[in-house]
Amino acid sequence: PLPEERMKNLSTKTTITWPITLACGALLTSVPENAQDLESPKRPLGIQASADLVSMYVWRGWILTHRDPVLQPSITYAPSFLPGASLNFWSSGGLVSKPSAGDYHNTIDEFDTTLEYARPIISDKLTMSAGGLWYYYPSDWQSYSGANRHDFELFLSLSYALHPYFSPYVTYYRGLDFEIRGNYLEFGVTGSKSFSEHWSIAPSAQAGYQDQYGLAGNITFVGFSVPLAYEVKGFTISPYYSFTFDLDDLNGEGRKGNSFGGLRLSYSF
C-alpha cells in the first residue's frame, strides 16, 4: 500500500513496529513492528487481546493515513503446550468519515496474520525467532500494478539480552508477493524498566533498510518509541509516543520528522 509514483516499501504497521519479541513488535514491529507488542501473554490460557487508538498509522517510515487516527485491535495466542510459538491476528481501520474510493491513504484498512516461533539459543541471552506474516487489504486500495489484496513475508530475528535496559536486535524480512517482493532489514534496541509493581516503561529505537516497492536499497528511516505501561489484574493501559525521521522522502514531503502517539488497552488471560 503505497504512493503509486514511488512504489515504495512501508514497520509497525506501526505504528512504529515494536520489535518481534519483536513482537510485537510490535515490533508497536514494526513497531510496529508490526508496531504491535508491548508484552506477551502471561495468563494460563496464553491469550492477550488489545486495542490501540493511534493518532496516525506509520509503518516502516511510511505514513498510511492522511495523518488521521486509526483503531488497531489485536489478539495473540501463545499455547503453553508449545513454548515459543505464537499466533497473532492484527487489524487496522482508519477513523475517517468519508473515505475516497481508490485513496490508498484513508482506505487502507488492513488485516494481518503472524505465525512465529522463538527460542533461546545461547544461555537465554541470545534468542532467535522466525515466522511468516500475511497482509490482507479488505479496502478498495489499488497498487500501481492493479488491485492487490494481499502480501506475504517471511522473517528471521535475533535479539541479545545484553542488559535489562539494553537488548539489541536485528530482523530480516523477505517479501515474496507482489510489490512487497524484496528485502527489509531492521536494526534496533529495546529496553525495559519497572518502577513499581504496576508501572513500567519499555523504550525502543530502530532503523530500517529496504529495497521493496521499487526502492534502490537504503536506510530509509530512523525512529524511536516510548511506551509507558500500567498493569493491574491482567489489564494494562499503555500510552506511548513515537517519532520517525524520513531519510529517503518516503512520504513525498521531504526529509522530515513525524511525531505520533497512541493509547493501548490490553488484557491477558
Side-chain angles (χ1 to χ4, degrees):
L2 341 147
E4 298 179 3
E5 67 277 8
R6 294 292 306 276
M7 313 169 214
K8 318 172 249 203
N9 181 15
L10 303 178
S11 154
T12 164
K13 276 311 133 252
T14 238
T15 56
I16 234 176
T17 319
W18 287 315
I20 291 178
T21 28
L22 159 4
C24 118
L27 29 131
L28 192 165
T29 121
S30 356
V31 340
E33 86 333 215
N34 170 32
Q36 294 148 319
D37 308 296
L38 288 173
E39 58 193 36
S40 58
K42 300 176 181 179
R43 302 287 171 163
L45 292 179
I47 297 175
Q48 183 186 70
S50 68
D52 289 41
L53 179 62
V54 190
S55 59
M56 63 179 176
Y57 180 12
V58 180
W59 184 60
R60 299 179 183 176
W62 300 85
I63 299 174
L64 298 185
T65 65
H66 292 299
R67 301 186 182 276
D68 293 322
V70 292
L71 183 63
Q72 297 177 332
S74 173
I75 187 167
T76 301
Y77 175 52
S80 59
F81 59 84
L82 190 57
S86 65
L87 177 65
N88 173 261
F89 300 99
W90 180 95
S91 64
S92 180
L95 302 179
V96 292
S97 56
K98 293 182 179 180
S100 303
D103 186 337
Y104 68 86
H105 276 301
N106 62 15
T107 60
I108 192 170
D109 296 331
E110 184 177 334
F111 184 89
D112 300 345
T113 302
T114 304
L115 181 63
E116 179 181 6
Y117 180 73
R119 63 171 298 164
I121 55 178
I122 297 181
S123 65
D124 294 333
K125 290 283 189 179
L126 182 64
T127 299
M128 180 177 68
S129 64
L133 176 56
W134 179 62
Y135 306 85
Y136 175 68
Y137 313 111
S139 62
D140 58 7
W141 173 78
Q142 288 193 349
S143 67
Y144 71 95
S145 61
N148 180 27
R149 295 299 185 189
H150 60 87
D151 284 311
F152 184 75
E153 285 183 313
L154 296 175
F155 63 84
L156 177 67
S157 182
L158 290 172
S159 63
Y160 187 74
L162 187 64
H163 187 276
Y165 304 154
F166 189 83
S167 298
Y169 72 91
V170 59
T171 305
Y172 170 70
Y173 294 84
R174 175 62 185 180
L176 303 176
D177 224 352
F178 295 99
E179 289 83 3
I180 209 170
R181 187 181 303 277
N183 307 287
Y184 173 71
L185 189 65
E186 184 170 290
F187 307 89
V189 60
T190 65
S192 64
K193 168 66 177 177
S194 296
F195 299 106
S196 69
E197 179 183 357
H198 301 294
W199 286 98
S200 62
I201 190 171
S204 64
Q206 54 279 130
Y209 168 94
Q210 46 193 322
D211 64 13
Q212 297 167 320
Y213 296 102
L215 290 176
N218 297 301
I219 295 179
T220 53
F221 83 95
V222 293
F224 68 86
S225 184
V226 185
L228 183 67
Y230 178 78
E231 182 179 4
V232 59
K233 295 183 178 180
F235 286 97
T236 303
I237 300 174
S238 308
Y240 54 90
Y241 169 79
S242 298
F243 176 86
T244 62
F245 192 87
D246 186 347
L247 297 174
D248 200 37
D249 192 19
L250 297 175
N251 299 294
E253 301 174 347
R255 297 179 179 179
K256 59 177 293 187
N258 294 287
S259 296
F260 56 102
L263 179 68
R264 166 177 292 188
L265 177 63
S266 63
Y267 181 70
S268 299
F269 54 95

